[in-house]
Amino acid sequence: AQRVTQPEKLLSVFKGAPVELKCNYSYSGSPELFWYVQYSRQRLQLLLRHISRESIKGFTADLNKGETSFHLKKPFAQEEDSAMYYCALAPNSGNTPLVFGKGTRLSVIA
Amino acid sequence: DSGVTQTPKHLITATGQRVTLRCSPRSGDLSVYWYQQSLDQGLQFLIQYYNGEERAKGNILERFSAQQFPDLHSELNLSSLELGDSALYFCASSPTGQRGGPETQYFGPGTRLLVL
């Protein structure tokens, strides 16, 4: 079964501190992983997907197949990063719906 | 702005009633997905349509149904509403939805449903 686990419901960091939002997945094949961000219960916005290897708003994520993880990182947190972050998985065998984790609320304290 | 639109933004109704949520995908996108976001369950996939045909079904109750029209907009119908149906309902679209590998899904702003 496909599953995405985000172990932290809430993560509070100080402005300027490094951030790491954890994401672990369970899938027998080779998945595509995504990070979406949601500000104040608005629409979900794609932050990044692992296949594109882009860095958006200073965030990066590396797919670690050995640890089945796709942690989201940023070296220096900013107040505007405060939001809800969702890790999502899509099987690579076709265009199927996303499986989301429960989300982590990031709070950046000034 | 993702290009996906949803109406209405907010909906307040009573238990037992029926409502219809509407979604217009990005121009050119053939696939539409519906998700429900509630505080306790997080984001749950409900149903997917591709070019008018149902493609995948998730945790969608029998009281809920959806369809995609020839102009590719989609409607989600929720009937016999219960208090627990109160949630944010998102739709998302992707270009083709064909079996060629995962595509990025672009989300609409959501419809906030409150059942009293």
Side-chain angles (χ1 to χ4, degrees):
Chain A
Q2 303 145 24
R3 191 185 313 165
V4 176
T5 304
Q6 294 180 251
E8 301 138 331
K9 270 191 173 179
L10 173 66
L11 183 65
S12 297
V13 301
F14 285 102
K15 178 182 171 182
V19 174
E20 183 179 53
L21 299 169
K22 291 185 168 49
C23 171
N24 289 91
Y25 66 90
S26 173
Y27 179 62
S28 57
S30 183
E32 176 68 24
L33 277 300
F34 302 79
W35 276 100
Y36 280 85
V37 60
Q38 186 182 31
Y39 300 100
S40 304
R41 299 276 284 179
Q42 296 176 16
R43 77 175 75 222
L44 275 79
Q45 302 174 36
L46 178 69
L47 189 59
L48 53 82
R49 59 185 288 181
H50 102 265
I51 199 170
S52 65
R53 296 197 158 276
E54 291 178 356
S55 172
I56 307 296
K57 298 185 180 181
F59 285 98
T60 58
D62 288 316
L63 179 62
N64 185 325
K65 291 186 179 179
E67 295 182 0
T68 59
S69 68
F70 189 57
H71 303 328
L72 184 68
K73 298 177 184 178
K74 185 170 182 176
F76 308 104
Q78 299 172 348
E79 287 179 74
E80 54 265 33
D81 296 329
S82 295
M84 197 73 182
Y85 290 81
Y86 290 96
C87 182
L89 173 155
N92 222 346
S93 59
N95 219 334
T96 55
L98 295 170
V99 176
F100 283 91
K102 296 273 190 193
T104 297
R105 179 168 300 284
L106 175 64
S107 177
V108 180
I109 306 161
Chain B
D1 186 353
S2 67
V4 179
T5 60
Q6 289 186 250
T7 56
K9 278 190 177 179
H10 303 278
L11 205 45
I12 302 175
T13 188
T15 54
Q17 295 298 306
R18 173 191 160 95
V19 297
T20 297
L21 313 183
R22 182 189 169 104
C23 168
S24 292
R26 293 187 323 155
S27 176
D29 283 1
L30 299 178
S31 220
V32 170
Y33 310 77
W34 285 98
Y35 294 88
Q36 179 193 57
Q37 184 181 41
S38 58
L39 287 173
D40 54 344
Q41 293 293 322
L43 269 161
Q44 300 275 320
F45 165 68
L46 296 178
I47 197 163
Q48 175 194 0
Y49 277 83
Y50 166 66
N51 205 18
E53 302 284 328
E54 183 184 303
R55 169 63 65 84
K57 226 171 187 176
N59 299 320
I60 188 166
L61 300 170
E62 283 191 15
R63 300 184 284 109
F64 296 0
S65 64
Q67 53 184 327
Q68 186 179 26
F69 295 86
D71 66 352
L72 301 176
H73 91 270
S74 177
E75 291 181 356
L76 179 67
N77 301 296
L78 315 176
S79 60
S80 303
L81 284 167
E82 301 175 0
L83 296 177
D85 297 327
S86 296
L88 198 50
Y89 291 84
F90 286 108
C91 89
S93 72
S94 68
T96 67
Q98 290 181 351
R99 304 197 185 283
E103 296 173 329
T104 297
Q105 293 180 25
Y106 297 90
F107 282 77
T111 293
R112 192 179 299 276
L113 173 67
L114 180 59
V115 182
L116 299 175

